[in-house]
Amino acid sequence: MTQVALNGARTAADSAAVPLSPTALAEAARQAVAAGATSVHVHPKTPCGRDSLSPRVVAPVLEALRAAVSVPVGVTTGAWAEPDPARRVARIRSWELLPDHASVNWHEPGAEQVAAALLARGVAVEAGIWSGTTGAARFARSPLRPRVLRVLAEVTDTDATTAPATARRLLAALGTARHGRPVLLHGEEGGTWPVLRLALRLGLATRIGIEDTLLLPDGTPARDNAELVAAALELGAGGVPPGAARGAGGASADARESISGGGEYRSLQQ
């Protein structure tokens, strides 16, 4: 699985390549899916470029994306879009059009309530577990663990030299707290490509897109999300050891052993 993260919290001030309007997001998604993306993650924005959970903002984006692609489409529920947890839940309950899935950052106040509100409406939950936060520990105690669609292991270390080690520590911290759920591992900024390569070696799902980086692996600016997806898939062509048996969710047998506490995963905990 390769998810494309179309825009994130970026604005036009970051790059002209950032899609903002429903029309621009739909075209970006169409091109990214044509390049090989199998899932879409988007931050619906107001006309002034602010992330929003308002149904008046979310619905036009979902309408445009659904008309452009047939893959699952997810949105953020980040606290920066609506800081008050009660209002965040109210926003979700007011959505007229529903995404296929939505990410919930487990270190944020109100994460449990937000996830429960999404599940009650039939929206799948991606559990965002950020490195350097209490997310993994809080998720380990959550009764909602077995109900999430997948775990988003999000490496916030932007240093290319240390991000892979940070990713390994994050995966080790998750351990059995995953409750058997699939893992999507990704990095951001300078850590994007090193962490993506690690995800490929472990046979994990990953993501790429302008939300995470504006640069291609060689450091040149990407023209758009589709170019980033194409670059990720090119790396992925050699990312999983030849002949590795694949099971449910596309993870290799070696990667499943690593994730369950053995193999390379066990070595991280020693």
Side-chain angles (χ1 to χ4, degrees):
M1 173 189 173
T2 301
Q3 184 177 84
V4 61
L6 294 176
N7 57 357
R10 298 192 193 273
T11 68
D14 297 299
S15 170
V18 181
L20 300 172
S21 70
T23 300
L25 288 165
E27 179 58 19
R30 185 191 66 76
Q31 293 179 9
V33 170
T38 55
S39 175
V40 173
H41 173 75
V42 64
H43 289 212
K45 296 180 182 291
T46 64
C48 64
R50 179 182 177 276
D51 285 10
S52 175
L53 302 182
S54 166
R56 295 191 300 272
V57 175
V58 173
V61 170
L62 292 178
E63 285 178 342
L65 288 173
R66 292 255 169 76
V69 299
S70 58
V71 302
V73 174
V75 302
T76 183
T77 64
W80 57 85
E82 180 52 74
D84 180 70
R87 285 182 57 83
R88 212 177 314 148
V89 168
R91 288 292 200 190
I92 290 166
R93 290 173 175 166
S94 72
W95 286 349
E96 298 171 359
L97 288 183
L98 298 176
D100 297 293
H101 51 81
S103 61
V104 178
N105 299 320
W106 232 262
H107 65 280
E108 294 177 346
E112 295 279 338
Q113 293 87 346
V114 170
L118 289 165
L119 292 169
R121 299 214 62 192
V123 178
V125 170
E126 296 179 311
I129 312 298
W130 293 22
S131 64
T133 73
T134 59
R138 293 179 62 184
F139 186 65
R141 299 190 296 268
S142 173
L144 299 180
R145 284 180 302 153
R147 299 180 62 191
V148 304
L149 173 66
R150 66 177 66 91
V151 173
L152 302 182
E154 308 197 34
V155 180
T156 59
D157 183 350
T158 61
D159 187 321
T161 60
T162 59
T166 301
R168 293 172 187 273
R169 288 193 295 270
L170 176 59
L171 292 173
L174 279 167
T176 57
R178 296 172 48 248
H179 208 285
R181 307 318 300 151
V183 172
L184 185 159
L185 175 66
H186 76 95
E188 61 183 44
E189 303 301 355
T192 299
W193 294 108
V195 172
L196 186 142
R197 290 186 179 95
L198 176 62
L200 294 172
R201 288 198 299 273
L202 294 177
L204 299 175
T206 191
R207 83 176 198 187
I208 193 66
I210 283 175
E211 171 170 355
D212 295 333
T213 183
L214 297 171
L215 303 177
L216 294 168
D218 64 3
T220 59
R223 290 191 301 267
D224 51 30
N225 281 285
E227 190 171 29
L228 290 168
V229 170
L233 292 179
E234 185 176 354
L235 291 176
V240 177
R246 290 183 173 274
S252 68
D254 289 343
R256 292 197 301 277
E257 171 66 10
S258 293
I259 296 165
S260 65
E264 183 177 0
Y265 216 55
R266 184 183 296 119
S267 70
L268 303 179
Q269 299 173 310
Q270 296 175 344

